[in-house]
Amino acid sequence: MNGRGRGKIRAPRRAFINDEDVDFDLLWTSLASALREIHTKNASQLSFEQLYRTAYKLVLKKRGETLYMNVESFEKEWLVQEVQPRINEAVSTCLLPETTARGIASNVTEIEKRAAGEKLMKSLKYVWEDHILCMNMTTDILMYMDRVYCTDTRKPSIFTASMTQFRDCVLRASCGYTRISSLLYKVILDQIHIERNGELIDQALIRSCIYMLEGLYETNDEDENMKLYLTSFEPEYLQASRDFYKLEGQTLLRDADAGKFCRHAKKRLDQEADRCRSTLSPLTLPKIKEVVEGELIKAYIKDVMLLPDSGVKFMLDNDRLGDLRLVYDLVSRVDPNKEELKEAIQKHVAEHGSEVNDSALKTASIQPEKDSKPDAEKGEGESKPSIDKALNSQTIAAIKWVDDILILKEKYDKIMVAAFQDDQGVTAAVGRSLAKTINGFERASEFLSLFFDDNMKKGIKGKTEYEVDALLDKGVTLLRYIGDKDMFERYYKKHLSRRLLMKRSASMDAEKQMVSKLKMEVESGFTQKIEKMFTDMALSEEKTLQYRDHVSELRKADPKRPDLDITVLTTTMWPLEAMAPSYSNQTTCIFPESIQLVKQDYEKFYLGQHVGRQLTWQPSMGTADIRAYFPESKGKIKNRELNVSTYAMIILLLFNDLPPGQFFTFEDIQGKTNISTYELSRNLQSLAVAPKTRVLIKEPMSKDIKTTDKFYFNEKFYSQFNKVKIGVVSQSNKVEGEEERKQTERKINDARGSVVEATIVRIMKQRKTLTHQKLITETIQQLASRFAPDINMLKKRIESLIEREYLAREEDSEMPAYRYLA
């Protein structure tokens, strides 16, 4: 590189090289005079070409070293004798630390001190810019020396050497007991402090001084990392900033609210960024940001978030999205994981979730008034003006719980997008808290199913397809948080079966759409039985039409023949016990002769097409439409069409053969129908107790049904409607009581035991041998999509499989292990 550089200089003529030695002193005198003219601003008459040739001649005659040293000495002398005194004159005594320590400057105002600092900076700016200008002109004259002599001897260029001299003779010159550089740093820091307090300063003047510090280096190598700005000024600036922001943080935390603190911190970050771009150096930006983030944000942000009347809780309660966005921005700067923000939000979610759960439990614990009127009048399909007339208080609480949880989730979904940039970590933390809230409520599965049940019956009426889809999506979203999905499945099948059998669904398309969503959300096995229920309903409808065609000729012969609408249910697919509480204990009901004949005829028809099947009639799940004549009813029309349960139909048909004024006792009716005490009491309560559906008269009149009660046909019954629907007491879907709840849990646990055993066998069949811990872990993982199994249950099921010789213990294994027995 050096050889290539020297080759660009044209070699002198041979005659010139062989000339006699030059008179160095004479030539240097002319050069020194020229340099002085340059420094005194009288260079207009100089011939720079002639001066260049003079320096060129000296270097060529091997006098480069002497020339270099003389120029250095000249520049140093100039700086010491001419520049340094000028700077010392610009230093006011109020800037000197020793005068301040002795109290001499105690009467100096801040304005005077500020003016003295500006005077010093202006002087340094002037001498620096003058020095740069003069040295540029000097470098032009000594260009050949820089290229040849300095390169050959590896000495710094004369420009670099003069910068070092300026550093040592001007900036680091002593003024009293301190250096000029220290005074300069103090002045700049004071100016920045003034600006931080809201006053205007001369940014351009400070920037000129910063340029000077950036143009000076600690060494002649001019390493970019060794700039005087970086090695001397910047550390003092950062330390002063630390002290400033530490104190400011304490003051803000004491006097300001959380929102004001965050806005001020963001403002400080912006101000420091602007200061680095316009006044200081961009090199300082990441470092000063770290200072502000560490001293003002990281040190206090946790306390700020926990402020009782303005912290994160207050912001979340009052939807202060702008402040929350600021909190998120500040926390993100100092904590990539945002643990403290997550903790604050999770605590808020838990508190609100607990309030929702407690409110639901409180409402659900209010027992409905023991009045037969509201219960008995709650017949299926009856139009009600409000939900309070359609559901009991527990069911209202169930639906409200789901609505409140959805409102809570929507609130946080909005906050995640508007304030937290949809941050995955924060969103996941909120999701975990919601899941904990939902699963901490023991009736979550049941309440969510009741929410779907209510909306499927009437909540979706009048809604567009888009609105129905959005409503279902909301419910399915909550299902994702529920851990015991098998319990939800049980309740959903129970409520769905009643909707299907009683034809209470507002839209079958919506029902099937819901099944599709459940299938995508959980697993195909979850919806397998539900899909079969829809299949049974469709096949039953086809079979009913076929049967009507079959009896069309018989109907002509007997117009009074009862018309059947049959639904054939696959026993293993429908939750029969859940649908009818008396299913497992129900007795064989005695049907009236006319109904028995039709029943036998359908059995013959159906079994003729499906050999090997067995039909079991379920009167507790059916309904009937009957025409009744009330001879003493007021009005011209004495007939009414009654929609009643199958049991109620059987009871009412008994009164056809009873003479007027005669009665049946409870025991008489039970003896003639063989209806269980539970079902008979419920149906008689609907027929004889409720004022608006009292087609029977009960003696003595009371809300409860006793075995000694007498029942008469009410010939004076009147209703303003020609069609009267008489619902069975407690027949609609509602929240389970404590006993029902315990029975459900027992059945769920029994079903889980079978699922656990099947899962363990499937795992061991594939693995053949597995340690106890790995078997437990893998079983839990496979069952996580349905429920969270209890460890004790897993251990008991493993022991049961060992006893039944599905598994065996590995005797020689260091850790407890099992092997599969084929």
Side-chain angles (χ1 to χ4, degrees), residues 108-122:
V108 178
T109 65
E110 289 297 325
I111 296 176
E112 292 173 335
K113 189 175 180 181
R114 177 176 176 178
E118 290 178 350
K119 180 181 178 182
L120 174 61
M121 288 193 293
K122 288 177 181 178

Side-chain angles (χ1 to χ4, degrees), residues 158-282:
I158 199 64
F159 185 89
T160 301
S162 69
M163 294 301 107
T164 302
Q165 289 176 333
F166 186 91
R167 178 196 69 196
D168 296 337
C169 299
V170 179
L171 274 185
R172 290 182 174 174
S174 296
C175 183
Y177 294 98
T178 188
R179 289 179 173 180
I180 297 296
S181 59
S182 299
L183 295 176
L184 174 64
Y185 301 160
K186 181 66 170 60
V187 167
I188 295 176
L189 294 178
D190 287 343
Q191 292 285 312
I192 292 174
H193 185 83
I194 291 172
E195 186 179 41
R196 283 172 175 164
N197 288 331
E199 297 184 39
L200 295 177
I201 61 173
D202 192 341
Q203 294 181 342
L205 179 59
I206 297 175
R207 184 60 183 151
S208 297
C209 294
I210 296 299
Y211 278 139
M212 175 183 68
L213 296 176
E214 288 184 310
L216 299 175
Y217 295 82
E218 292 287 354
T219 64
N220 291 330
D221 295 337
E222 295 190 345
D223 185 352
E224 290 298 314
N225 294 323
M226 297 301 291
K227 289 180 177 180
L228 213 59
Y229 173 84
L230 297 176
T231 60
S232 299
F233 172 76
E234 189 181 71
E236 292 192 26
Y237 168 67
L238 296 177
Q239 184 57 49
S241 299
R242 289 188 190 95
D243 297 338
F244 175 84
Y245 285 116
K246 183 176 182 180
L247 180 61
E248 184 174 68
Q250 294 172 352
T251 304
L252 282 172
L253 187 63
R254 183 182 66 246
D255 301 334
D257 59 30
K260 183 177 180 182
F261 184 101
C262 294
R263 288 189 292 273
H264 187 81
K266 183 64 170 63
K267 177 183 175 182
R268 286 302 192 193
L269 286 167
D270 294 340
Q271 287 177 344
E272 294 297 342
D274 291 340
R275 186 173 294 113
C276 289
R277 286 190 289 265
S278 62
T279 308
L280 302 179
S281 168

Side-chain angles (χ1 to χ4, degrees), residues 502 580 582-583 586-592 595 599 616-624 644-650 673-676 679 682-683 728 731:
M502 297 176 186
S582 62
Y583 169 77
Q586 71 178 2
T587 56
T588 302
C589 176
I590 300 174
F591 288 89
I595 302 299
K599 174 174 164 288
T616 303
W617 295 81
Q618 303 294 331
S620 60
M621 302 177 192
T623 60
V644 296
S645 70
T646 303
Y647 281 137
M649 175 200 70
I650 296 172
T673 61
N674 201 33
I675 300 174
S676 67
E679 291 290 354
R682 290 172 65 231
N683 282 274
V728 180
Q731 193 175 14

Side-chain angles (χ1 to χ4, degrees), residues 5-16:
R6 292 177 60 187
K8 294 179 182 179
I9 305 299
R10 178 178 297 177
R13 293 189 299 275
R14 183 176 300 275
F16 188 79

Side-chain angles (χ1 to χ4, degrees), residues 706-768:
K706 299 179 181 178
T707 57
T708 57
D709 289 341
K710 299 176 183 179
F711 297 91
Y712 300 82
F713 182 71
N714 184 9
E715 296 182 353
K716 297 181 180 180
F717 174 79
Y718 171 77
S719 174
Q720 60 180 335
F721 303 106
N722 290 330
K723 293 183 179 180
V724 181
K725 194 156 194 172
I726 305 176
V728 180
V729 174
S730 302
Q731 193 175 14
S732 61
N733 289 331
K734 65 174 187 175
V735 177
E736 290 181 335
E738 288 300 323
E739 286 301 320
E740 292 176 300
R741 175 77 180 176
K742 290 178 181 178
Q743 290 179 8
T744 299
E745 289 179 351
R746 283 196 295 269
K747 291 171 183 176
I748 286 288
N749 287 332
D750 292 341
R752 285 179 177 179
S754 301
V755 174
V756 168
E757 287 187 353
T759 304
I760 292 173
V761 170
R762 184 169 60 251
I763 292 171
M764 292 302 299
K765 188 174 182 180
Q766 181 181 6
R767 297 296 191 87
K768 305 303 180 184

Side-chain angles (χ1 to χ4, degrees), residues 7 12 57 70 110 121 143 176 223 309 319-320 458 579 611 656 672 690 707 726 746 776 787 803:
K57 187 183 301 183
N70 282 14
E110 289 297 325
M121 288 193 293
M143 188 183 302
D223 185 352
D309 298 323
D319 294 330
R320 298 289 184 88
K458 51 183 172 290
M579 292 159 55
V611 180
N656 279 340
K672 291 178 179 293
T707 57
I726 305 176
R746 283 196 295 269
I776 293 291
F787 61 91
E803 291 176 3

Side-chain angles (χ1 to χ4, degrees), residues 19 59 120 144 200 258 300 324 348 510 663 730:
D19 201 359
V59 174
L120 174 61
Y144 187 76
L200 295 177
Y300 300 104
L324 286 170
H348 188 266
F663 62 86
S730 302

